[in-house]
């Protein structure tokens, strides 16, 4: 086959794909580190990056042509989705039209003259910024939020009418949990950001351990990015130092960041997800993952956990920030942890509720919602 013929054939295939399929472009800007689809099992990855990888893949499976503009080292693909360094969007938009353009965590990209049929912004954090105003919001058709609490918070904070907001969710790959692994009946699991209540759990750990001497706590999350951010936040470096000291106590094991396959195995080894947080979770992927692993949930009745967990877990408090510091909350938290870890029938009941709830969050189901209710 001549070189000319080969190039001509590849060009025909490209054009056929381009015009036969609707194009979805997903944009995210600079991050603390370079990443692409291989990062899922190469040291771990953050929640919004995980969302971008999975939703892109599932939309491709539904017949869309998907381009991810993100902070990757170079252009690459996973066989379905093309990954393009986000800096190249400026050039790419000049000769390409997108049927749908989705910006993750920012509207700043809409300063560019992006030609697209519909434009969206998905808000992974509690807000797009602490400022009430949203730059270039008139160029965005709809904003995506991740829970009922998130929807009303964003509406109030940014002054967006509810009809400009659509609720979606994060998800998980349930196949990661189709494994038979021996479970430790006295093992707590943590894989959320370390600043979201781990200090509270480490304090309460000692009280739970008084009733269950075999108790262990295994922690899976990186600390490097928090250390970088702490340089610009008063007092946080000292907070991190105290947390690192507390993680050295007997029965506590800090593993750092791991890939998603290993994380699933570690969650399957555990027996309880205990999360005494006051953080405003917009959705909480960890909650979904731990429930997929069959872990009963004891957490705070606050923010996005009210939607993501709801009645499938034991949520403590009245929905107000700061309750995890109250004595009544802490006494009940310890009591519920001990009860679940020592009563097999109660543990089994809540484990089953977790498994049933997790099935709602398969990526294929979430992509179907995008296709049928958002990209339409």
């Amino acid at each position: 086959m001549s070189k000319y013929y080969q190039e001509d054939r590849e060009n025909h295939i490209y054009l056929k794909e381009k015009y036969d399929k609707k194009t979805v472009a997903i944009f995210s800007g600079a991050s603390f580190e370079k990443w692409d689809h291989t990062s899922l099992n190469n040291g771990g990855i953050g929640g919004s990056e995980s969302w971008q990888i999975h939703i892109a893949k599932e939309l491709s499976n539904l017949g869309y042509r998907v381009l991810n503009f993100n902070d990757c080292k170079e252009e690459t693909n996973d066989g379905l989705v093309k990954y393009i360094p986000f800096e190249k969007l400026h050039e790419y938009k000049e000769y390409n039209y997108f049927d749908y353009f989705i910006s993750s965590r920012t509207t700043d990209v809409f300063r560019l003259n992006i030609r697209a049929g519909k434009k969206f912004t998905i808000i992974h954090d509690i807000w797009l910024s602490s400022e009430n105003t949203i730059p270039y919001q008139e160029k965005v058709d709809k904003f995506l939020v991740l829970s009922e609490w998130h929807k009303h918070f964003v509406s109030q904070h940014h002054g967006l009418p509810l009809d400009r907001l659509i609720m979606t969710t994060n998800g998980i790959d349930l196949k990661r949990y189709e494994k038979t692994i021996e479970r430790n009946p006295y093992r707590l699991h943590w894989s959320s950001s370390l600043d979201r209540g781990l200090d509270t759990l480490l304090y309460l750990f000692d009280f739970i351990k008084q009733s269950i001497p075999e108790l262990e706590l295994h922690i899976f999350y990186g600390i490097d990015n928090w250390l970088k951010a702490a340089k610009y936040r008063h007092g946080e470096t000292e907070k991190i130092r105290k947390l690192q000291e507390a993680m050295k106590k007997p029965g506590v094991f800090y593993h750092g960041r791991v890939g998603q396959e290993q994380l699933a195995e570690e969650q399957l080894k555990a027996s309880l997800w205990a999360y005494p947080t006051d953080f405003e979770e917009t959705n909480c992927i960890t909650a979904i993952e731990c429930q997929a692993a069959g872990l009963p949930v004891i957490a705070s009745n606050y923010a996005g956990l009210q939607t993501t967990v709801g009645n499938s877990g034991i949520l403590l408090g009245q929905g107000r920030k700061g309750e995890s510091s109250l004595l009544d909350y802490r006494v009940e938290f310890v009591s519920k942890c001990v009860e679940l870890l020592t009563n097999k029938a109660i543990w089994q009941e809540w484990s089953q509720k977790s498994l049933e709830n997790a099935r709602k969050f398969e990526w294929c189901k979430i992509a179907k919602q995008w296709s049928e209710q958002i990209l339409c």
Side-chain angles (χ1 to χ4, degrees), residues 351-362:
S351 174
Q352 188 59 38
K353 289 182 179 181
S354 286
L355 290 168
E356 291 172 1
N357 189 55
R359 296 189 188 105
K360 299 187 301 186
F361 297 98
E362 288 185 271

Side-chain angles (χ1 to χ4, degrees), residues 12 24 28 42 45 52 60 64 68 70 86 90 110 128 172 177 193 202 219-220 224 270 292 305 319 327 331 354:
H12 277 292
V24 177
S28 58
N42 186 20
I45 197 169
Q52 189 169 347
S60 293
Y64 295 92
N68 266 344
N70 67 296
F86 73 93
H90 184 83
F110 293 110
L128 284 165
I172 55 168
Y177 297 90
S193 182
L202 287 167
I219 302 163
F220 299 87
D224 291 345
L305 294 173
L327 178 60
V331 169
S354 286

